[in-house]
Structure formats: structure tokens, C-alpha cells
DNA sequence: GCTTGTTATATAACCTGTTATATATCGATC
DNA sequence: GATCGATATATAACAGGTTATATAACAAGC
């Protein structure tokens, strides 16, 4: 059924919801087939309610909601379909006419008796055999996850796991931020050269319109605090350039976050055939930056230095990124 | 969210489908919340397709079906919603105009880039924390189950795990079978007494109409091969009686199966207040039967023998069932 | 070159879950 | 005892999965 390798598996925990849903659909479809084969007039969504009535005796709608852990409309609908099959019946409570008490009919009890003896043990055994040899008690793990979700929702856990860094793509209104950030770090360590000026003045013309990209990183309340560009060079070679993060955002790993994003874009452009090679030019005094570049896979490349190093007088280090 | 104890947990593997569905709904709902919080215009069902396009490049609809493991209409619908959001676009294949190739738009690529960096690692980590300490690798187990399902469907496994025994409740057309089975075993070991004759002649009047029950067991091609009755006695005491299985069905455990069903009915009647006590009368020569009764919880009871033993001359053993 | 089966995608109808909201009744308070 | 918030159930609309079937284009054989 699953042809080739499975994308959902590759996504790890991210796609767990989709994956469990897919698995659940299959299990329910097979359970429905088994019930149909035995001639039981039931849909799989109905038997949790039947089972609840069997083990707990008559229940009100609210009690059933509580016992099954599904929404109240889900119970109301299932109830309707079971009444249509004459398997359950309802009566209003004598004391409180809002509440409806659900009980099995005799027919329902007999059907349930047959299912419990004839089919359910087989399904239970079959499902058990699916998980056998999987290296643990699957039901217990599902129970553990349900309990963990009760303690703290996935959404809450996500918020806690999340950093406040955001990626923002270039748009005209961000041109001043691009200039400001670039000026800040260049003037801090070097002096602004004509090449810098030209790019800062017209990022749209020099980068965007020529097929390049500029990304920004935003750090929560601090707003845009960093930028980095992929600028087309000779042929399909691109230069990673103008990477800088404002001093006030140090320590938030904004640089690494931004570099990751830019490299992701470079790989995507490479996959589309728009980009064939990627290099960068820098200066040996930028130790932290060079360390970061190395960490993300850039390698020192003398050939690049020779070919393009003359663009900036400050440039004495060149690196390229293996694609 | 789950009030009190959870019926689905109590059902074991039987309700695994419903339970996984419930869990998946929660995970997807939380993932949707997280995406909404970040301002991404996406529904959780869409991101498997986006992720597939991201990691595999442009895909045809069929390739996406294959990669995601969902049905083709599901992909077609998701595709429609992503096109409406301008995140993907399609083009007809040049060679085969039936096939539609899906690719990310630039906007889609940028959104995906942001999600991949800003949110997905947090969701992945959060979901991972849910399963931490559950005593095993949950993802690996899910993968194992998926693989096991590929090998053999749950339905096939169910068929193999199933015996061919069935329970059939009384109806008029089964009165002759009731008589035949009862005659067979009584006449085999004893002689038919007036009490036997009366019940055999009119099971409806003597048992059913008085609130009793008669169940039959059917063994595949052999048809109905056994029966057993719950007959109202004094007050709310019931007698388990006329239990017999035809010789040709020996070795299929039909007796145990039937007894289980009858006791289930007795417990149900007890829960409703219709039955207060249950006893049976037999003869010491019926060793196999007595052994079975003991196995299922009946205990020898001299008081019962004294009170009701006179009904049959063959009776020298009485037992009662603790409720 | 027409027919006929196969393949790729689209559409329809249904299932079962959800959330949001309506309705009816209860219970408590003024 | 009228009102008003809370509670029990019903209804409506939507989400995302399914199966079954329709439509269009390709491919192969006569």
C-alpha cells in the first residue's frame, strides 16, 4: 500500500498526527470489514458506545461523553444511528427531564453478546499480533501519551520548545533595515567600500531582480536584527554576502538560524538548477563568523579567493559550500 | 479531558482504532493551533503534501499518493486547497497530458522555509517529549505496526484467529433443535423424565415467556450443535438447565463457548435486577460437565440440592453460581 | 485507424470526528 | 415566583479521511 519510502515516516514526530490518523483509518476499516463479514449491522464507530453500555449499564449522554472521551455531538450522532438499528433505546430521566438515559435493547444485548464471544476476541488477538515483536507494550505507550497530553497539551509544549526567532523574506520596506544592519557591522570592523555602497543603495536591482534573495531574521520584540543575501555572481555561481546580526541581538543564535535558512534556500535553488555553486568572501578577523560557516559546511577555497577576492579590499578569506 | 476511567483503554486492542483516531485528532488540532498562532494560513492536513514537495521536488498527483500513503482523492483535495492559498501550482506534463505536476510557488517555498525553521523543530521536540519515558521508541513501534499491516491485513489476521463457533438466540424455528439436542444427551445417559418432556414440548411457554432465555451454539457447517437454557425458578432464582452439545461437535469447545455466553446473559439479567441467583442440577456421572461448571465458577451447593433436587430423579449434584 | 482496456485525475457521496451555537430545563437568587 | 446563569442535549457547518464512479487521454491490437 505504501509505495516506496514513506514521507510521513521521514518527518518524524512532526507528522505523527497524520500518521496515526492513517493507521487508525486502516484499523477501523478492517474492523468494519470483519463486522460486515459476520453480518453484524454495525459501523466501527458505534461499538465503543455499545461496549460502554455493556460494561457500565445504562448511561446518560453526558456520562457516555465522559466515558468515551469524544465530543458530545459525536455521542449524540452515534446514539441516533444505534436507535435506528434498534440496538439501544432512550428514556428521559424522571427527576431531570433534560437528561436522556441510554440503555441496550434486548436485541442490542444479544448482538453484543455474540460480538463479544464470536468476533472481538479474534480482533483483539489479531491486533495484538500486529504489535507483537515491536519491542514494547504498544497499548501502554499509547496510554502513556494520552496521560502526558492530559498533563500538558502539545500546543503548550510547542510554545515552550520554541525560540522567538523568525525568518522574513525581502520586501521593499525592509531595504533600510538591510542598509542599517550592513553599515553597522562593516563600519564596526572595516570601512564601507564602493561595492558595499552600491549594494546597500539598491538591493532590489543588484540582488532581487537578478534572481538573488535576501532574508532577514526577526527576534521577538527586538524586530529585525539580522540579514543575509544570496547574490548572483558569474554564471550560476552565487555569493553568500552581507550576513550580519545587530549587536543587541547577540547570544540568541540568530546568526546560525539565519544561515540555516539561507543555506536551505541555496539548496532549493540548486535543486531547481538556478544555482550551481555557492561561495563567500570574508576577513580572517571575523573569527566567529568563519567558525559558523565551517560548522554549517563551508570549506576554505583558495581558487575562489583568487578569482573573486579582489571585489573587496578587506577580503582575505574565501570559502565555498559543497552542493 | 478524559473523565474517570476510560472505556477505550479497557477494551484493549479492540478499540485501538478508535483510540488512535482520538489521539490523532488531538495531535492534529494542537498542530493546527500552533500554525494559526504563527500566522501560517495552513491546515494540518496540508503539510504532509508540502513536505513531500519540499523533500522530493515537483511531484505528480500519483507520485504524491504513493509518497503519502493516502487515497488519491485526499491528495486532489489537499492540492486544491493549497492552490487556493497560492502555495503550489500545477502544470500539465508535456508528454502525457493526463498527468499534472505539482510544484511549490515561490511563496510556498518561503512559507515552508519559515515553518521548517520556526515551528517544526518545536513541534517535533514537543511531540517527542510526549513519548519520552513511555518505555520505548514510539515512532519505531508505529513503523513496525505499519509494516506488519503491509504484510498481512488486520482483517486477514482476524479471520485466522477466529473460531467457527456462533451464538444464536432462541426463536420458534429452533424449538425442534432444542428438543433433539436435549433428547440426545438425556437418553444417552439417563431416561427422559416428565419434567424434561414438559420443557421440550413447550420451551416458549416454560422458559421464554416466563422471562427465561435459551441460547444455541452453531459450529460452522455443522449447524446448531448445542443449547443451554436459563429457566426462571422460585422468585428471582434461575436454573441453568438443558445444557447439551451433540456428539458430532465434540472437541470444538462448543460447550465452554456456550456456557460463557449463558453466564454472560445471567450476569446481565442480574445487573438489571431480573435474576438474583443461579443454580443447576446434574448427576455425578456427568464428570466432564461438572468440571466445566467448576471451571467457570460454579460451586457445589448442598442447600440447593435439598431444595430443588427432587425435580429430576437423576439429580444427585447441585451447584450455584456466585453473582 | 478504430476499438478497447488501462491509467491519471476529478467528482460525488459518505463516515466520523470536530467546533460553535441553539434550545430546553434546572436551580438559585432577588 | 420571575429571572438568569448553568447544564443537558440537539443541530449546523466544517474537516479530512474513505470508496465508488466519471472523464479524459494514452497504448495496444485487430
Amino acid at each position: 500500500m505504501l509505495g516506496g519510502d514513506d514521507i510521513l515516516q521521514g518527518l518524524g514526530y512532526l507528522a505523527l498526527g497524520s500518521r496515526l490518523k492513517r493507521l487508525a483509518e486502516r484499523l477501523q476499516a478492517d474492523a468494519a470489514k470483519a463486522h460486515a463479514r459476520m453480518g453484524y449491522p454495525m459501523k466501527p464507530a458505534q461499538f465503543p458506545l455499545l461496549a460502554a453500555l455493556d460494561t457500565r449499564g445504562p448511561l446518560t449522554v453526558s456520562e457516555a461523553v465522559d466515558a468515551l472521551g469524544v465530543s458530545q455531538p459525536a455521542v449524540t450522532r452515534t446514539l441516533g444511528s444505534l436507535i435506528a438499528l434498534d440496538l439501544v433505546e432512550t428514556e428521559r430521566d424522571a427527576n431531570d427531564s433534560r437528561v436522556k438515559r441510554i440503555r441496550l435493547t434486548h436485541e442490542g444485548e444479544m448482538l453484543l453478546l455474540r460480538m463479544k464471544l464470536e468476533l472481538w476476541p479474534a480482533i483483539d488477538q489479531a491486533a495484538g499480533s500486529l504489535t507483537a515483536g515491536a519491542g514494547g507494550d504498544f497499548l501502554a505507550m499509547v496510554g502513556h501519551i494520552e496521560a502526558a497530553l492530559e498533563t500538558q497539551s502539545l500546543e503548550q509544549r510547542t510554545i515552550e520548545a520554541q525560540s522567538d526567532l523568525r525568518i522574513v523574506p525581502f520586501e521593499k520596506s525592509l531595504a533600510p533595515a538591510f542598509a542599517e544592519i550592513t553599515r553597522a557591522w562593516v563600519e564596526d570592523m572595516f570601512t564601507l567600500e564602493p561595492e558595499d555602497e552600491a549594494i546597500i543603495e539598491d538591493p532590489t536591482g543588484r540582488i532581487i531582480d537578478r534572481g538573488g534573495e535576501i532574508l532577514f531574521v526577526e527576534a521577538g520584540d527586538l524586530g529585525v536584527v539580522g540579514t543575509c543575501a544570496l547574490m548572483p555572481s558569474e554564471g550560476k555561481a552565487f555569493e553568500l554576502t552581507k550576513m550580519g546580526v545587530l549587536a543587541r541581538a547577540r547570544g540568541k543564535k540568530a546568526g546560525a538560524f539565519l544561515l540555516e535558512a539561507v543555506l536551505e534556500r541555496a539548496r532549493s535553488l540548486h535543486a531547481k538548477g538556478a544555482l550551481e555553486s555557492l561561495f563567500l568572501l570574508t576577513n580572517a578577523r571575523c573569527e566567529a563568523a568563519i567558525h559558523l560557516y565551517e560548522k554549517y559546511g563551508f570549506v576554505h577555497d583558495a581558487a575562489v579567493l583568487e578569482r573573486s577576492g579582489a571585489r573587496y579590499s578587506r577580503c582575505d578569506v574565501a570559502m565555498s559550500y559543497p552542493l
Side-chain angles (χ1 to χ4, degrees), chain A residues 162-239:
Chain A
Q162 212 171 352
S163 82
D164 63 350
L165 299 177
R166 305 275 175 275
I167 294 296
V168 184
F170 181 81
E171 51 180 276
K172 288 221 169 60
S173 64
L174 288 170
F178 180 68
E180 182 209 344
I181 295 165
T182 303
R183 278 216 174 79
W185 70 262
V186 174
E187 293 179 344
D188 187 40
M189 300 187 76
F190 312 99
T191 45
L192 222 55
E193 307 187 20
E195 175 77 3
D196 296 316
E197 293 281 10
I199 295 173
I200 280 180
E201 287 303 313
D202 183 19
T204 305
R206 297 291 293 258
I207 300 178
I208 303 296
D209 292 349
R210 293 177 49 220
E213 301 207 356
I214 304 177
L215 295 183
F216 296 85
V217 58
E218 194 180 285
D221 300 337
L222 296 179
V224 169
V225 296
T227 187
C228 182
L230 286 173
M231 190 169 75
S233 179
E234 321 270 293
K236 290 182 173 176
F238 276 64
E239 178 184 357

Side-chain angles (χ1 to χ4, degrees), chain A residues 28 42 54 86 88 179 217 246 281 320:
Chain A
Q28 284 205 333
M42 296 190 46
D54 183 52
D86 279 325
V88 307
V217 58
L246 293 177
L281 304 170
S320 62

Side-chain angles (χ1 to χ4, degrees), chain A residues 69-269:
Chain A
V70 294
S71 66
Q72 171 260 313
V75 170
T76 297
R77 179 162 38 191
T78 305
L79 173 57
S81 65
L82 287 173
I83 288 174
L85 291 171
D86 279 325
L87 298 178
V88 307
E89 57 197 5
T90 59
E91 63 184 2
R92 289 284 170 184
D93 186 286
N95 298 332
D96 184 341
S97 71
R98 288 172 305 177
V99 328
K100 208 177 218 187
R101 185 154 276 107
I102 315 165
R103 67 173 73 255
L104 290 165
T105 60
H106 184 257
E107 199 177 334
E109 283 180 359
M110 293 314 282
L111 181 61
L112 203 49
L113 172 68
R114 296 183 53 200
M115 290 192 299
K116 271 165 63 175
L117 286 161
E118 297 171 1
L119 183 58
W120 291 4
I123 292 181
D124 196 68
Q125 189 182 327
S129 80
L130 276 180
T131 73
D137 181 347
F138 188 68
L139 283 184
M141 289 188 76
V142 171
H144 179 93
I145 293 172
E146 288 170 339
L149 265 182
E150 290 294 301
T151 312
Q152 192 182 25
S153 76
L154 181 65
E155 164 69 339
Q156 198 55 46
R157 288 165 192 260
T158 301
I159 290 172
E160 288 178 10
Q162 212 171 352
S163 82
D164 63 350
L165 299 177
R166 305 275 175 275
I167 294 296
V168 184
F170 181 81
E171 51 180 276
K172 288 221 169 60
S173 64
L174 288 170
F178 180 68
E180 182 209 344
I181 295 165
T182 303
R183 278 216 174 79
W185 70 262
V186 174
E187 293 179 344
D188 187 40
M189 300 187 76
F190 312 99
T191 45
L192 222 55
E193 307 187 20
E195 175 77 3
D196 296 316
E197 293 281 10
I199 295 173
I200 280 180
E201 287 303 313
D202 183 19
T204 305
R206 297 291 293 258
I207 300 178
I208 303 296
D209 292 349
R210 293 177 49 220
E213 301 207 356
I214 304 177
L215 295 183
F216 296 85
V217 58
E218 194 180 285
D221 300 337
L222 296 179
V224 169
V225 296
T227 187
C228 182
L230 286 173
M231 190 169 75
S233 179
E234 321 270 293
K236 290 182 173 176
F238 276 64
E239 178 184 357
L240 187 149
T241 186
K242 303 290 169 279
M243 168 142 175
V245 172
L246 293 177
R248 68 170 191 269
R250 294 276 153 76
K252 297 173 94 56
K253 303 201 188 288
F257 190 75
L258 182 58
L259 183 56
E260 227 175 305
V262 169
L263 290 178
E264 179 66 35
R265 288 303 300 148
R267 284 191 295 267
S268 169
L269 291 171

Side-chain angles (χ1 to χ4, degrees), chain A residues 7-22:
Chain A
I7 282 282
L8 295 190
Q9 289 207 15
L11 285 175
Y13 283 107
L14 182 63
L16 189 57
S18 297
R19 206 164 152 199
L20 287 181
K21 202 159 196 173
R22 193 177 67 178

